[in-house]
Structure formats: structure tokens, C-alpha cells
Amino acid sequence: MKPYSRITGTGSHLPPRRVTNADLVAELAAQGIETTDEWIVERTGIRARHFAAPEVACSDLGLEAARNALQAAGLQAQDIDLLIVATSTPDMVFPSTAAILQHKLGANGCAAFDVQAVCSGFIYALTVADAMIRAGAATKALVVGSEIFSRILDFNDRTTCVLFGDGAGAVVLEASDEPGILASDLHADGKHVGILCVPGHVSGGKVTGSPLLTMDGQAVFKLAVGLLESAARATLNKAGLTEADIDWLVPHQANIRIMQSTARKLKMSMDKVVVTVQEHGNTSAASIPLALDQAVRSGQAQKGQTLLLEGVGGGFTWGAVLLKL
């Protein structure tokens, strides 16, 4: 049995519709809500995001990202024996988006399930896939982060509706004789549920509570920076490495200020941080695999380099994965 797991392919997909800050400002102004491109860029670093068309499902975005990752790995869908989808915007209450994606992909028969840890979802899913491969329960895993957050945004709230976008990212993780996933660190603290949530649910055929995202931005920011640093250091400690060993930091793309603060705490230059938030916005569980795929395909991140992936999300959840490409 091969004792490690390693990423052998990455992929991503963005809906065709690109919404710039100017586009969004104009749409909000028509509703009597004032904001500006300058205000959005200064506070978040976001200049554009992509929104899915009404007929497109979360599994559809995941399908394209998955196909791209499989092609990069040189595999067919039927080669996969584990499929995990990280999402907070599933196609249905049930079955899982993973099961729906499995059918669309043609990977029928393998284990398939969703992971729900919001913006940390991909970190959680990658850690679970690594553990299952190391345990011998799988040999070739497809891990997908896919989100359509535009469907749960309150476009009367300028502090949240400008932040999020839609998209999907995926990786193929295979059993390997060479170390790939070096260490991971996962956490959650439910006492912070209220600072970032969608508090509605379906009951008796109706939505009870609000089905739209609500966030205490200042509270999230204060928590995020400290937790990202602690997760990064814990993961490095487990691998016996230091921040000096990191070639690239691939953080959750939530806010440029959070990324800058995290880099400072880790004594890393922003030149070593993969940043895509300006074009993607916050795509929740899709943001890390989207950024990773862009870094790999652009030649920014190369085989043999050491990458630290990390994220925080509603729950409150947080975690990191250290890997060698």
C-alpha cells in the first residue's frame, strides 16, 4: 500500500458572466443603495466576481472543474474511487451534490458525499480524502469545492453583497510513494455561529427564518487573522517545518486585508501569496482550489514546491493543509 497522497491534477471553472464593481454599483444604485468601486476595492481588494446563470446548478460548476482536474491528472471519471464535494450551496436538500455530480461525471459506484464547513470546506474535504487514502479506503480521490453564493446574498446589504462570487475548483488526489500532503490542522468553534450564517431552513414546504447570508464583518476579521496564523503554525509544527520553508501561501480569498495581515504574522512577503480575490471575490469553498489551479496553470506554483493552504469560514471553522506539489 502506498503510504502517502499527492495532488496529481488541478482544475477550476468560473461562470461566463463577469460582474465588475461598476456593474454591481449600477445595479445597487437602481435599488437606491449607494456604494462605490473605490469603497469596495479599498476594504476588500475585490474588483470583479462571476455570477452563475439561473439555470446553472452547483453541480454544473463542479462538473467543469472536475473534468479539468481529471484531464490534468490523465485520468477518466471511472478511475475515481472517492468523490467529495465541499459546498454550502447544494443543488438540493438531499441527495448530496456529490451524488448528483457523480452521475453527471460518469463516476458511478464510488463513495460520494458532501462536506459542509463553509469557506473552510475544501480544507476539510482535502484532509478527509488524504486520511481515507492513507487508510487504504481509496486510491484516487476527486475533491471539489463548488459554490453559487449569489443565490443567498442580500442585495439590500451593501456590506455583504459585494463580497461574494460563484465558481468551482477541484483537485485529484492519488495514493503515492512520495509525500504530497505533509500535514493538516482542522478546528471549529460553534459559539461563533451567529457572526456568519444563513439562518433559514425548510419546514413544511416553506422557508423558516432568513435564507440570506448575514455577517458581522468586524468580528469575522478579528477572528480570522489570529486563527489563520495559529492553524498555519500548528500545521508547520506537525511537519517539522517553519514559515521559511513555504514557497507559496494559498489562502482563502475572502479579503485582501485578511491575507495581508496573515502574511505579516507569518513574516511572508505578499510576493509569495497567491491572490485571486480581485477577480473572483469570495467563492467560499471554491476559493482555495480556484486559486491553486490558477497558480499551477500559470506556472506560478511548480512541482516540488511547498504550499500552505488555509481558510476560515462560518461555524466558525478554520484549518490548514501543508503539501508538496
Side-chain angles (χ1 to χ4, degrees):
M1 187 177 74
K2 296 181 178 181
Y4 305 109
S5 74
R6 192 180 190 98
I7 290 176
T8 57
T10 66
S12 61
H13 178 71
L14 291 163
R17 184 188 171 201
R18 180 175 181 267
V19 181
T20 66
N21 286 348
D23 296 331
L24 197 53
V25 167
E27 289 180 22
L28 293 173
Q31 299 171 208
I33 300 166
E34 292 186 11
T35 189
T36 65
D37 172 64
E38 293 77 16
W39 186 88
I40 299 169
V41 172
E42 180 187 345
R43 285 162 176 76
T44 70
I46 299 168
R47 297 182 181 275
R49 73 287 292 148
H50 290 251
F51 285 168
E55 69 276 8
V56 172
C58 179
S59 62
D60 294 323
L61 299 184
L63 177 63
E64 297 305 319
R67 284 173 171 165
N68 291 334
L70 285 168
Q71 183 178 40
L75 296 177
Q76 301 296 315
Q78 52 267 35
D79 296 326
I80 295 300
D81 54 14
L82 173 64
L83 172 57
I84 306 177
V85 174
T87 188
S88 298
T89 53
D91 289 18
M92 303 180 184
V93 173
F94 72 84
S96 68
T97 300
I100 298 168
L101 173 57
Q102 182 194 54
H103 176 59
K104 291 179 178 179
L105 194 60
N108 304 64
C110 71
F113 57 90
D114 289 356
V115 167
Q116 218 289 39
V118 200
C119 303
S120 306
F122 182 77
I123 296 294
Y124 269 63
L126 190 60
T127 300
V128 171
D130 171 57
M132 290 183 69
I133 288 175
R134 286 174 180 251
T139 59
K140 294 179 176 64
L142 182 59
V143 184
V144 181
S146 186
E147 301 281 18
I148 303 185
F149 255 60
S150 60
R151 308 253 169 93
I152 57 171
L153 297 180
D154 181 356
F155 285 95
N156 291 309
D157 180 2
R158 71 167 190 163
T159 65
T160 58
C161 72
V162 301
L163 302 178
F164 297 89
D166 306 337
V171 301
V172 172
L173 196 65
E174 295 190 56
S176 172
D177 291 324
E178 298 178 52
I181 305 296
L182 303 177
S184 61
D185 190 62
L186 300 179
H187 297 277
D189 190 342
K191 73 170 176 280
H192 300 295
V193 163
I195 66 172
L196 177 54
C197 61
V198 177
H201 63 279
V202 177
S203 177
K206 298 179 180 178
V207 174
T208 301
S210 172
L212 302 177
L213 182 146
T214 178
M215 180 174 74
D216 181 339
Q218 287 188 328
V220 168
F221 186 97
K222 288 176 182 176
L223 265 179
V225 175
L227 296 177
L228 286 171
E229 182 193 9
S230 66
R233 295 198 182 284
T235 306
L236 286 165
N237 286 340
K238 289 177 183 180
L241 300 176
T242 71
E243 55 263 42
D245 296 307
I246 302 170
D247 292 301
W248 291 103
L249 178 65
V250 188
H252 168 48
Q253 307 289 311
N255 182 309
I256 191 64
R257 289 181 172 183
I258 293 176
M259 289 186 271
Q260 289 167 338
S261 297
T262 303
R264 278 196 301 270
K265 285 182 175 290
L266 294 175
K267 300 181 176 63
M268 294 182 67
S269 163
M270 285 300 292
D271 291 340
K272 297 179 74 174
V273 181
V274 176
V275 180
T276 61
V277 70
Q278 71 279 5
E279 280 296 316
H280 300 167
N282 182 345
T283 55
S284 190
S287 84
I288 293 172
L290 265 169
L292 176 62
D293 184 53
Q294 181 166 306
V296 168
R297 289 178 184 265
S298 67
Q300 195 177 16
Q302 299 183 358
K303 187 173 175 61
Q305 290 187 324
T306 301
L307 279 60
L308 181 69
L309 284 49
E310 59 173 8
V312 294
F316 211 70
T317 63
W318 65 99
V321 172
L322 187 69
L323 62 88
K324 190 173 287 290
L325 273 183

